[in-house]
Amino acid sequence: MSRINFELSIAPPKGTSQQKGVFVARGRARFFKKKTVADAESLYMSELAKVGINSDDMLNGPIACEIVFTWPYRKAETKRRQALPFVMHDKRPDADNTAKLLLDCMEKAGFYNQDSEISILTIEKRWGLDPSVQVDLWEINEIGESL
């Protein structure tokens, strides 16, 4: 069974793949990456390069993916809540948009051929003591069982 599991010891960026800019030139809309999105993508790519995936490790076929985003506690968080290892994050950015940027970066870094191969996706957002991004990827068969 092929499985890739890693943790990025960074605070997840707040930029998402949905935050694109647009301008009109010669009557046509042109889209571009905003600086926050480009910075987030750059951060992910530099951190993913440290994971060290080579072509032999690339996952193929249907893939299951679990992602846990942990942001640092907000300054307004009570001491009682900050004493907990984590609490669930129910504010922006949206989980799906945050995951999309990371999934696109993992595709560029060679973890899998296309992000369309991800058949099962679980995303968790938290505030916690130790900011990080935890990722677990594994190959599954056609009916969703681990290989």
Side-chain angles (χ1 to χ4, degrees):
M1 173 174 108
S2 295
R3 189 175 200 117
I4 301 171
N5 186 311
F6 60 91
E7 179 175 347
L8 305 177
S9 297
I10 59 170
K14 294 201 175 184
T16 69
S17 58
Q18 294 295 312
Q19 297 171 328
K20 291 189 172 77
V22 64
F23 68 94
V24 178
R26 297 183 186 163
R28 294 185 57 172
R30 305 282 184 192
F31 295 92
F32 63 94
K33 286 183 192 172
K34 289 187 176 179
K35 183 174 180 352
T36 56
V37 178
D39 291 346
E41 187 174 305
S42 176
L43 175 64
Y44 276 141
M45 292 306 291
S46 66
E47 291 296 317
L48 290 171
K50 296 175 187 175
V51 174
I53 296 298
N54 61 45
S55 59
D56 295 336
D57 298 329
M58 183 181 284
L59 301 177
N60 294 301
I63 298 169
C65 178
E66 291 181 1
I67 305 172
V68 179
F69 295 102
T70 306
W71 279 271
Y73 277 118
R74 300 171 291 180
K75 292 178 183 173
E77 209 70 59
T78 65
K79 289 182 181 181
R80 188 177 128 254
R81 285 178 61 129
Q82 287 188 19
L84 300 170
F86 67 88
V87 294
M88 301 316 294
H89 185 306
D90 60 349
K91 305 293 183 211
R92 290 182 184 258
D94 297 346
D96 56 335
N97 295 334
T98 305
K100 179 66 177 153
L101 181 60
L102 176 60
L103 294 172
D104 289 344
C105 290
M106 287 193 299
E107 179 182 336
K108 288 179 188 174
F111 286 77
Y112 40 80
N113 290 315
Q114 296 180 354
D115 59 3
S116 63
E117 293 177 318
I118 296 176
S119 301
I120 299 173
L121 178 60
T122 305
I123 308 165
E124 191 173 321
K125 295 188 326 177
R126 306 170 171 179
W127 279 296
L129 298 171
D130 299 315
S132 65
V133 178
Q134 299 168 353
V135 179
D136 193 8
L137 296 158
W138 66 97
E139 293 177 348
I140 55 177
N141 63 17
E142 303 83 35
I143 58 172
E145 298 170 332
S146 296
L147 296 178

